[in-house]
Amino acid sequence: TGGTRSAPATIDLPETPNPGYDMVTSDDFDSDVLALENYSEELQAVSNARKIAVGWSHAAVLLADGTVKIVGKCYHDVERCTQWKELVDVDVFGCYFSPTQTVGLTSSGRVLHSLDVVEPDAWRDIVSVSCGDAFIVALDKFGKVHACGRNDHGQCDVTSWPKMTCVKGDFFTTVAIDTQGWIWMTPVGKTQHNVFGAKGVGGAVFKESPMI
């Protein structure tokens, strides 16, 4: 009770990287990819913006007319994204060693996306959408979490989850908050442990947690 806690004097690092978190060097990604900061002038020239989602090399700007403007370097079909209409939200994913992607949510609760998947076409009454590394997660008005795409880390294993209030995807994991304020998280890496140390799929981690 009371007082302050100081940081440890030393930190013990593993001799080898943990599964799913191998070291990344400049040899592992395309040198043609430029960070978003290199497109700052183009980005700041955008007008009538309402929301923005940013990744490593590109940004998706939701405009007042319900369309989206993509700024930066992408490896997905930008033309497809610029044809989207009646958007109310957007999200992006991308880093220097993973492909970029963009997702959008329409006013009618439909998910639009840049991935080569068909499952989201059948989703209805969606109220929020997010994306990670080659996968999409969404929350419908009934609190059900939907997910599709890459699943080698169990990031789409959410079918048994209870009613949720929000959901977020990033890299190799999906995180959500249920109606009781508990955080649920898919496994990260081959060890089947999430970053908070709770073992297994979708384990409630703790209450009164930080915002996601």
Side-chain angles (χ1 to χ4, degrees), residues 68 70 76-84 87 102 113-114:
V68 64
I70 305 297
H76 61 264
D77 189 352
V78 175
E79 181 63 25
R80 181 200 299 186
C81 301
T82 57
Q83 295 175 358
W84 295 347
L87 296 176
T102 303
H113 57 90
S114 61

Side-chain angles (χ1 to χ4, degrees), residues 146-158:
H146 304 261
C148 71
R150 180 178 180 180
N151 194 37
D152 53 340
H153 292 272
Q155 53 267 59
C156 294
D157 294 338
V158 297

Side-chain angles (χ1 to χ4, degrees), residues 12 32 40 58 65 82-83 93 95 104 108 132-133 135 172 180 198 202:
D12 295 327
D32 291 334
S40 60
H58 83 296
D65 63 359
T82 57
Q83 295 175 358
F93 176 83
C95 65
S108 61
D133 188 358
F135 74 99
F172 312 126
Q180 303 300 312

Side-chain angles (χ1 to χ4, degrees), residues 49-61:
R50 291 295 178 266
K51 291 184 178 181
I52 185 172
V54 298
W56 166 258
S57 64
H58 83 296
V61 183

Side-chain angles (χ1 to χ4, degrees), residues 8 20 48 60 63 81 83 100 110 128 132 134 136 140 142-143 156 162 172 183 203:
N48 297 317
L63 304 179
C81 301
Q83 295 175 358
T100 59
R110 300 290 300 276
S128 67
I136 302 171
D140 67 26
F142 304 105
C156 294
F172 312 126
I183 286 181

